[in-house]
Amino acid sequence: MNDTILVTGATGTVGSQVVKKLAEIGANVRAAVRSTSKAEKLSGVEVVEFDLNKPETVQSAFTGIDKLFLATPLVANMVELDATSLEAAKKAGVKHIVRLSVMGADGEPANPLCKLHREVEKMIESSGLAYTILRPNSFYQNYITFTGGTIKSQNAFYLPLGDAKLSLVDTRDIAAVAAAALTEEGHEGKTYLVTGSEALDNKQIADIFSSVLGRTIQYVDVPEDAAREGMKEAGMPEPEMNLVLGLYADQKAGKYSNVSPVVEQITGKKPISFDQFAKDYAEAFK
Ligand SMILES: NC(=O)c1ccc[n+]([C@@H]2O[C@H](COP(=O)([O-])OP(=O)(O)OC[C@H]3O[C@@H](n4cnc5c(N)ncnc54)[C@H](OP(=O)(O)O)[C@@H]3O)[C@@H](O)[C@H]2O)c1
């Protein structure tokens, strides 16, 4: 396992877990970070500067790498950013790309976020490079990133998702699938739907939080307008807000409840349950 694997988005929710998993199994990891000041949590691996808005950092980050884990921030110009990474990957002679896409990217008609991811997938599929596409459902860890604040301050979380069931997934499981695809044979040309082992609605999720945290946590189903207002207040730019709201609308309509066997098939372990996630990250909600 002497291949050097570049992980983009290495300070992000999924990328940081991919770095950790690859380091654990002894792979040669290069973590690509925008700001080296954020890199201290990535101890024990090579760190390089990588900012897609600074072209001079891109090619140097890619020089000498063999494989690529490509995670792109949720931004409206995602296709443009990934075109830059793909060009750099071709120049560097990358042997295999594993890209973080999204569940539903193959849907017709798809929501705008899925359409963007599908555009990137097509670019990768026609690049001539070996690839594996991961299409995860929404992450358990979103309950920390997006709703952790109100769970802590109000014992409640607000989402425009009605009583839709969702086969959410732990980013640690996505990372385990990514690490296998990057270091084992047989994943080239494959597209994997990555979900947890059951579909839960947000009332069930609130009940799990209540039981694990030992206090009542309430799920408040809000209309789309209220969700939009909340995101605006949190500083999310309008184009990205529209991407998230489009996804939420499809989730509310019940299109994100399919359960996939991929995590267990590839890692040999059952997906992490929401209950286990809540226990492992309980401190984040206190
Ligand atoms: N959240 C979900 O439930 C979900 C589900 C399925 C798919 N996805 C997809 O997952 C992707 C996001 O992954 P994530 O949630 O792991 O990421 P994240 O936690 O949002 O972090 C984004 C990462 O990208 C880096 N980044 C931002 N701008 C950059 C730039 N200009 N150049 C280089 N790096 C840059 C960030 O660096 P800094 O730390 O310096 O900001 C960070 O490492 C999106 O494409 C999204 O559509 C998300």
Side-chain angles (χ1 to χ4, degrees):
M1 214 169 13
N2 290 326
D3 287 334
T4 297
I5 305 171
L6 183 74
V7 176
T8 67
T11 52
T13 316
V14 177
S16 59
Q17 293 295 339
V18 173
V19 169
K20 194 171 167 206
K21 185 72 193 173
L22 287 171
E24 264 169 32
I25 62 176
N28 203 3
V29 191
R30 184 183 292 176
V33 301
R34 243 192 332 178
S35 154
T36 42
S37 67
K38 282 198 186 173
E40 58 272 6
K41 47 184 175 177
L42 302 168
S43 60
V45 302
E46 182 190 356
V47 171
V48 286
E49 190 190 349
F50 173 76
D51 187 334
L52 285 156
N53 296 317
K54 291 187 196 160
E56 70 281 7
T57 65
V58 175
Q59 203 59 53
S60 61
F62 276 70
T63 302
I65 65 157
D66 303 291
K67 296 186 178 179
L68 170 66
F69 177 75
L70 183 60
T72 322
L74 197 170
V75 287
N77 68 337
M78 174 187 295
V79 178
E80 197 186 305
L81 296 184
D82 276 345
T84 303
S85 294
L86 201 53
E87 269 319 297
K90 284 182 194 163
K91 273 194 200 151
V94 163
K95 291 189 287 192
H96 189 177
I97 299 179
V98 174
R99 176 156 197 285
L100 184 67
S101 180
V102 69
M103 178 172 175
D106 54 344
E108 287 298 340
N111 60 66
L113 177 64
C114 287
K115 280 187 182 159
L116 286 185
H117 275 292
R118 183 64 197 133
E119 258 190 77
V120 175
E121 288 183 2
K122 282 188 193 156
M123 230 162 44
I124 293 172
E125 287 163 6
S126 60
S127 68
L129 304 179
Y131 65 86
T132 308
I133 307 282
L134 308 184
R135 289 186 185 148
N137 203 344
S138 293
F139 313 152
Y140 293 166
Q141 280 76 2
N142 292 349
Y143 287 85
I144 303 172
T145 317
F146 302 125
T147 62
T150 61
I151 292 176
K152 279 203 273 196
S153 63
Q154 302 173 31
N155 291 325
F157 59 94
Y158 303 80
L159 288 168
L161 295 172
D163 58 2
K165 288 205 181 286
L166 303 162
S167 54
L168 305 174
V169 63
D170 195 298
T171 56
R172 293 169 293 180
D173 282 332
I174 303 169
V177 172
L182 287 160
T183 58
E184 295 168 7
E185 296 298 315
H187 300 287
E188 291 81 1
K190 303 269 174 68
T191 296
Y192 294 129
L193 173 62
V194 188
T195 74
S197 58
E198 62 181 335
L200 298 170
D201 62 42
N202 276 288
K203 170 77 175 63
Q204 290 172 300
I205 284 171
D207 290 346
I208 294 172
F209 274 132
S210 301
S211 145
V212 170
L213 301 176
R215 62 187 207 270
T216 303
I217 305 294
Q218 200 195 349
Y219 161 54
V220 184
D221 175 29
V222 295
E224 185 181 293
D225 280 355
R228 181 180 288 280
E229 241 354 89
M231 286 186 229
K232 207 169 162 183
E233 272 167 31
M236 190 182 276
E238 179 121 15
E240 282 75 27
M241 206 154 55
N242 289 334
L243 294 175
V244 176
L245 288 169
L247 178 72
Y248 279 160
D250 276 353
Q251 291 188 330
K252 185 173 180 172
K255 297 181 189 170
Y256 281 76
S257 62
N258 285 355
V259 168
S260 155
V262 156
V263 170
E264 190 167 1
Q265 278 171 353
I266 291 180
T267 69
K269 289 186 189 153
K270 290 203 180 306
I272 297 166
S273 66
F274 198 90
D275 184 75
Q276 191 59 51
F277 158 76
K279 285 176 181 151
D280 293 346
Y281 289 85
E283 283 304 312
F285 301 103
K286 284 182 183 158

